[in-house]
């Protein structure tokens, strides 16, 4: 049978499935680390931006954050990855996976920042006034009252950002990073058969996207049902 | 005892407030207001819509930044930028028209988060204090409820209890019953009435004229960016002098 032979050739022979498996591990690793970096940095960006919008303080920091967000969102991910690898880390020897963590994390931060900022802005002004009137400082009010509500509101959007990021990492091959997509491509170049490895990679992405997606949907449902 | 012999709790001197309008022009909302409030005062502020009543009240705890003048609270000019306003706000409770309870916290936590985070009480101490207040507003059984499980009247009673839980020296109310269905107004006024009987210093903006007359020891009439008249409740309603006030009372009654 053609399909059985194809399958054997592409995945079993010479342990070729290992390209996909180790690629998948890298893809997931990059996604998770980048999401964490993105959320931490995105928080910081959003905090500076909203503090400026609400109080008028931090003009220079805000301008910098705004510039950062505009540039990241206005240029292709691949280009950002190449710049981090070939320009910023040109003369230093850093493992490629670290480069990928940084590049995808920096990219994700810009999107996360806008998501969280929208979340903060969606909270009624009365909440910060109530906090302030009790004697809470701006930072405390943010921490105890605004952020908990804002984050709850944007959790689904953050989940979607993670799904987008998972697929975005497929360009990691541009810096010869062995991710899932590149793993499939390596098999293709060895076996000269494209169908099996590429479709398998696609199916694996789809599988994880659907898992993430159902988690996000479940989260959304839980949030909607919860009373508070 | 006349009010003049006591030391004012809040002294407002030449308070001015302007807002920038859409064209960027400064529009004056409060014009050179001077007034004193004393410990134990139950001062009601009434007046037509847009008079600046809310703005005045919100200047008292600096939710709005005044454009001029001074406000001495317990002897300190709190409009001074060097003043730690957060510390003084702990002593000035505020109740909002829209309640502004924290929806992600249960009733008990709404009350205790201030005392725990700002006054260093332990959770147990704070909950004990909160429980007494919940009993006072007759909502002890709702301690573990969340705000959106409560009616409007219940929310406002919790909001009052939340402010009281900081043990403030003065309570500011901005139209506390205006957002309520008519059948829930009474229960909130009842709580405020008891508060006044317990000698809490209160400054109340309201449209509830009958309640003002019943509870206040002084009523201030605000219109045209100023306090145009002030009197004790009886004379305020029986012998109004200012023409604007006469017209206002005619319309209200
Ligand atoms: N944040 C703001 N920016 C610009 N103008 C404002 C702002 N807040 C209030 N004003 C204006 O200041 C004036 C006084 O408003 P304020 O809310 O203090 O009136 P009020 O006496 O409380 O009226 P109401 O009885 O309707 O609550 C109004 O003309 C209003 O449009
Ligand atoms: Mg008002």
């Amino acid at each position: 049978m053609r399909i059985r032979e194809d399958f054997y050739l592409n995945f079993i022979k010479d342990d070729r499935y290992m390209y996909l498996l180790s690629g998948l591990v890298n893809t997931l690793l990059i996604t998770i680390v980048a999401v964490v970096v993105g959320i931490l940095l995105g928080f910081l960006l959003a905090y500076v931006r909203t503090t400026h919008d609400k109080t008028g303080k931090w003009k220079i920091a805000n301008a910098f954050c705004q510039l950062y967000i505009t540039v990241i969102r206005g240029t292709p991910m691949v280009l950002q990855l190449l710049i981090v690898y070939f320009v910023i880390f040109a003369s230093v020897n850093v493992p490629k996976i670290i480069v990928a963590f940084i590049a995808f994390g920096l990219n994700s931060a810009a999107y996360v920042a806008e998501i969280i900022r929208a979340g903060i802005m969606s909270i009624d002004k009365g909440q910060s006034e109530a906090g302030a009137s009790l004697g809470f400082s701006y930072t405390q009010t943010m921490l105890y009252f605004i952020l908990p509500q804002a984050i709850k509101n944007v959790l689904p959007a953050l989940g979607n950002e993670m799904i987008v990021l998972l697929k975005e990492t497929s360009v990691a091959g541009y810096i010869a990073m062995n991710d899932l997509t590149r793993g499939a491509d390596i098999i293709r170049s060895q076996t000269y058969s494209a169908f099996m490895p590429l479709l398998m990679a696609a199916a694996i992405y789809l599988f994880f996207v659907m898992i993430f997606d159902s988690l996000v949907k479940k989260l959304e449902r839980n949030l909607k049902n919860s009373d508070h | 005892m006349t009010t003049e012999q006591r030391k004012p709790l809040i002294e407002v001197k030449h308070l001015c407030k302007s807002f920038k309008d859409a064209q960027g022009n400064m529009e004056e909302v409060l014009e050179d207001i001077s007034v004193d409030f004393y410990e134990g005062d139950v001062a009601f502020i009434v007046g037509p819509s847009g008079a600046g009543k809310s703005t005045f009240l919100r200047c008292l705890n600096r939710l709005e930044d005044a454009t001029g003048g001074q406000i001495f609270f317990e002897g300190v000019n709190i409009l001074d930028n060097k003043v730690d306003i957060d510390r003084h706000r702990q002593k000035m409770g505020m109740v909002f028209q829209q309640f502004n309870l924290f929806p992600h916290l249960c009733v008990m936590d709404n009350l205790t988060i201030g005392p725990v985070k700002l006054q260093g009480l332990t959770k147990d101490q704070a909950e004990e204090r909160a429980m007494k207040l919940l009993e006072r507003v007759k909502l002890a059984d709702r301690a573990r409820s969340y705000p959106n499980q409560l009616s409007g009247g219940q929310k406002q009673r919790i909001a009052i209890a939340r402010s009281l839980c900081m043990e403030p020296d003065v309570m500011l109310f901005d139209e506390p019953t205006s957002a309520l269905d008519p059948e829930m107004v009474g229960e909130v006024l009842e709580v405020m009435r008891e508060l006044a009987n317990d000698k809490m210093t209160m400054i109340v903006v309201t449209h509830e004229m009958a309640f003002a007359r019943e509870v206040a020891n002084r009523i201030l009439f605000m219109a045209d960016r100023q306090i145009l008249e002030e009197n004790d409740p009886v004379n305020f309603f029986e012998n109004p002098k200012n023409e604007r006030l006469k017209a206002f009372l005619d319309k209200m009654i």
Side-chain angles (χ1 to χ4, degrees):
Chain A
M1 270 247 307
R2 190 60 216 290
I3 290 181
R4 249 173 96 167
E5 282 161 21
D6 250 16
F7 189 89
Y8 177 78
L9 176 70
N10 281 300
F11 302 129
I12 311 296
K13 190 153 180 281
D14 300 334
D15 284 343
R16 289 208 171 99
Y17 71 91
M18 281 304 291
Y19 288 114
L20 291 181
L21 195 63
S22 64
L24 174 64
V25 170
N26 281 338
T27 290
L28 292 177
L29 212 57
I30 296 171
T31 304
I32 289 164
V33 175
V35 161
V36 172
V37 172
I39 285 179
L40 293 178
L41 193 61
F43 249 109
L44 202 68
L45 291 167
Y47 187 70
V48 172
R49 296 273 287 115
T50 49
T51 300
H52 172 268
D53 288 355
K54 288 185 174 194
T55 66
K57 290 190 294 186
W58 297 355
K59 281 207 172 57
I60 295 169
N62 176 61
F64 178 81
C65 293
Q66 223 169 345
L67 180 71
Y68 179 84
I69 292 169
T70 307
V71 169
I72 294 287
R73 303 211 313 169
T75 55
M77 178 67 235
V78 187
L79 219 50
Q80 292 166 17
L81 180 66
L82 293 175
I83 288 169
V84 171
Y85 186 59
F86 289 111
V87 180
I88 297 176
F89 287 115
S91 51
V92 240
N93 200 3
V94 204
K96 283 187 192 118
I97 190 138
I98 305 283
V99 173
F101 289 163
I102 294 171
F104 287 103
L106 290 177
N107 175 273
S108 177
Y111 291 91
V112 169
E114 289 300 274
I115 292 172
I116 292 177
R117 192 169 92 94
I120 291 173
M121 288 315 209
S122 74
I123 304 300
D124 184 69
K125 196 162 130 270
Q127 292 290 305
S128 19
E129 291 186 349
S133 77
L134 289 169
F136 286 92
S137 68
Y138 173 81
T139 311
Q140 289 172 319
T141 301
M142 202 65 162
L143 203 62
Y144 297 136
F145 309 123
I146 310 298
L147 280 179
Q149 297 180 58
I151 291 169
K152 207 182 100 171
N153 289 351
V154 301
L155 268 180
L158 287 177
N160 282 327
E161 165 61 17
M162 185 165 168
I163 290 173
V164 170
L165 196 62
L166 174 75
K167 292 180 289 173
E168 284 270 85
T169 59
S170 62
V171 299
Y174 273 85
I175 59 167
M177 177 78 226
N178 288 319
D179 74 320
L180 178 56
T181 300
R182 187 148 189 270
D185 206 41
I186 290 173
I187 297 176
R188 180 194 59 79
S189 68
Q190 289 180 358
T191 61
Y192 298 106
S193 78
F195 181 79
M196 275 272 174
L198 295 186
L199 248 71
M200 181 60 88
I204 296 173
Y205 277 111
L206 189 60
F207 175 73
F208 279 95
V209 166
M210 281 162 67
I211 287 183
F212 284 163
D213 198 45
S214 72
L215 287 177
V216 171
K217 292 247 160 61
K218 202 167 152 188
L219 191 72
E220 248 169 322
R221 261 199 314 277
N222 284 345
L223 291 177
K224 211 179 272 165
N225 291 343
S226 77
D227 270 311
H228 37 277
Chain B
M1 186 168 75
T2 63
T3 50
E4 275 67 33
Q5 289 163 336
R6 289 178 281 162
K7 202 178 159 331
L9 184 66
I10 301 176
E11 278 181 87
V12 180
K13 292 188 165 166
H14 308 293
L15 179 67
C16 297
K17 170 69 185 172
S18 306
F19 283 112
K20 261 207 188 89
D21 66 14
Q23 284 79 43
N25 303 317
M26 297 302 269
E27 191 196 338
E28 193 154 55
V29 175
L30 301 176
E31 191 184 321
D32 192 21
I33 292 185
S34 296
V35 60
D36 294 343
F37 298 100
Y38 296 85
E39 214 180 298
D41 259 355
V42 180
F44 275 58
I45 302 173
V46 301
S49 184
K53 306 181 297 293
S54 299
T55 307
F56 174 73
L57 204 66
R58 291 158 57 83
C59 281
L60 294 183
N61 67 350
R62 256 175 69 179
L63 281 188
E64 298 287 356
D65 274 316
T67 22
Q70 297 164 308
I71 298 175
F72 290 92
F73 175 59
E74 299 179 332
V76 180
N77 177 17
I78 56 170
L79 296 192
D80 188 336
N81 274 327
K82 288 190 283 291
V83 158
D84 177 9
I85 187 63
D86 299 327
R87 252 193 46 231
H88 294 284
R89 279 180 180 151
Q90 293 185 30
K91 295 278 137 209
M92 313 173 103
M94 185 172 234
V95 176
F96 302 87
Q97 188 175 340
Q98 299 297 337
F99 329 128
N100 296 341
L101 293 178
F102 305 123
H104 60 302
L105 301 178
C106 70
V107 164
M108 182 54 91
D109 293 345
N110 263 277
L111 266 68
T112 55
I113 188 163
V116 169
K117 301 287 183 191
L118 301 174
Q119 298 178 329
L121 265 65
T122 66
K123 198 162 180 285
D124 286 345
Q125 289 169 330
E127 295 206 346
E128 197 185 317
R129 187 193 281 181
M131 212 54 212
K132 283 190 192 126
L133 289 165
L134 289 178
E135 276 159 20
R136 207 160 139 190
V137 300
K138 303 190 179 65
L139 286 169
D141 55 327
R142 306 312 297 268
R144 295 297 157 197
S145 301
Y146 280 84
N148 64 356
Q149 300 168 325
L150 305 174
S151 72
Q154 291 174 328
K155 279 184 197 161
Q156 195 60 300
R157 281 143 68 196
I158 296 298
I160 294 172
R162 177 179 67 179
S163 286
L164 290 174
C165 210
M166 293 297 289
E167 303 195 325
D169 295 336
V170 58
M171 288 281 285
L172 313 174
F173 295 83
D174 190 2
E175 301 201 31
T177 57
S178 294
L180 297 177
D181 291 336
E183 70 268 23
M184 293 172 183
V185 170
E187 63 195 61
V188 171
L189 296 186
E190 180 55 33
V191 169
M192 292 174 65
R193 182 180 292 119
E194 277 175 28
L195 212 52
N197 289 340
D198 291 346
K199 298 286 171 279
M200 171 57 83
T201 310
M202 298 160 68
I203 304 174
V204 185
V205 172
T206 189
H207 290 293
E208 301 280 341
M209 291 299 151
F211 184 63
R213 183 169 187 160
E214 175 202 334
V215 174
N217 72 327
R218 29 191 308 218
I219 307 183
L220 293 73
F221 175 65
M222 256 187 105
D224 302 337
R225 308 178 291 280
Q226 289 171 318
I227 296 173
L228 294 183
E229 183 156 340
E230 124 141 61
N231 222 327
D232 60 87
V234 175
N235 283 308
F236 186 87
F237 289 101
E238 305 298 335
N239 304 311
K241 288 172 204 75
N242 184 282
E243 291 305 320
R244 294 269 292 154
L245 174 55
K246 284 180 192 165
F248 177 74
L249 290 177
D250 281 344
K251 243 193 309 188
M252 294 301 291
I253 303 160

